[in-house]
Amino acid sequence: VSHAAAGASGVAPSAMMDGQVQAIRSALSTAGFQQTLLMSYSTKFASSMYGPFREAEQSAPQKGDRRGYQASYGDARQALRESALDEAEGADILMVKPSLFYLDIVVRLRESTELPLAVYNVSGEYSMLIAAADRGWGDLRGMVRESTLALYRAGADLIISYWSNRYREFFL
C-alpha cells in the first residue's frame, strides 16, 4: 500500500508465500488502489542461477536458505499449482523466475492462463552467455537474440532481463 500511495502503478512481491497475493490485493483494494497492478513471482524456483547477483550484492542468506519459499525445480506440478493459486488470489501478472531452464513451465503456464505472463531472465542466465562469448564459444548478439526469442516463443508477454540496457545493441 505504501508503494501505491507513493505513486507506483504496480507492485511485485517476490517472496512466493502462500496467501501473500490475496493479502496484498485486499490491502490495496481497502486503501482505494484497485487499479494498482499486482505482479506475482508466482513460480520462483530454488535455483543456482541467482548466484552471480547474490555474490555481487553479498545478499546470500547468512544462515539457512531461501528454498523454504521457493519452488523445487524438480516439481513442475507444484510450480503450476503455485501460479494457479496466485491467479485465484488476484494477481494481474504471473511470473516464472528464472526463465531459460524453465521454458516447459512457461509453455504449460501460458496454456493454463489468460493473464499476462512475465519471465525473469536472471543473473546466472545472463552470465552464461557473457562467459561463452568471452571464451569465443558463440556470438553474444546471436545468443541473446535467440534466447530472448525462445522466451517469447514459449509464451512470455514480458521479459525482465539484464539485457534491457543493451536493447538497441542486440535487437535493432
Side-chain angles (χ1 to χ4, degrees):
V1 171
S2 64
H3 290 127
S9 57
V11 295
S14 68
M16 204 182 108
M17 295 171 56
D18 291 344
Q20 173 178 258
V21 169
Q22 184 175 4
I24 293 169
R25 174 57 64 212
S26 177
L28 288 169
S29 293
T30 299
F33 296 108
Q34 294 87 349
Q35 299 304 310
T36 301
L37 289 174
L38 178 50
M39 179 170 66
S40 169
Y41 284 53
S42 60
T43 304
K44 184 177 181 182
F45 290 96
S47 174
S48 60
M49 290 289 106
Y50 305 131
F53 172 79
R54 287 186 180 158
E55 291 169 18
E57 293 299 317
Q58 299 177 345
S59 68
Q62 299 304 308
K63 53 184 165 180
D65 59 41
R66 294 180 169 101
R67 285 178 277 205
Y69 65 85
Q70 295 175 344
S72 167
Y73 55 80
D75 191 346
R77 290 184 188 140
Q78 178 63 31
L80 295 168
R81 279 193 301 272
E82 294 291 346
S83 286
L85 286 171
D86 283 1
E87 182 171 0
E89 290 180 8
D92 297 302
I93 302 170
L94 303 175
M95 182 197 295
V96 175
K97 178 183 179 183
S99 55
L100 289 177
F101 289 176
Y102 302 97
L103 294 176
D104 61 319
I105 303 299
V106 176
V107 167
R108 290 172 66 182
L109 190 54
R110 172 68 339 183
E111 292 170 348
S112 69
T113 185
E114 292 297 316
L115 289 181
L117 182 55
V119 294
Y120 198 136
N121 191 227
V122 300
S123 61
E125 297 165 315
Y126 171 86
S127 297
M128 285 190 309
L129 298 185
I130 293 286
D134 285 350
R135 287 167 179 76
W137 297 342
D139 168 62
L140 184 60
R141 183 175 190 268
M143 290 187 294
V144 170
R145 291 169 61 94
E146 187 174 344
S147 65
T148 304
L149 183 60
L151 297 170
Y152 279 115
R153 197 176 57 239
D157 299 300
L158 307 161
I159 297 176
I160 299 169
S161 172
Y162 287 84
W163 302 115
S164 298
N165 66 339
R166 298 173 72 180
Y167 180 82
R168 291 184 187 278
E169 176 183 351
F170 294 123
F171 301 103
L172 296 180

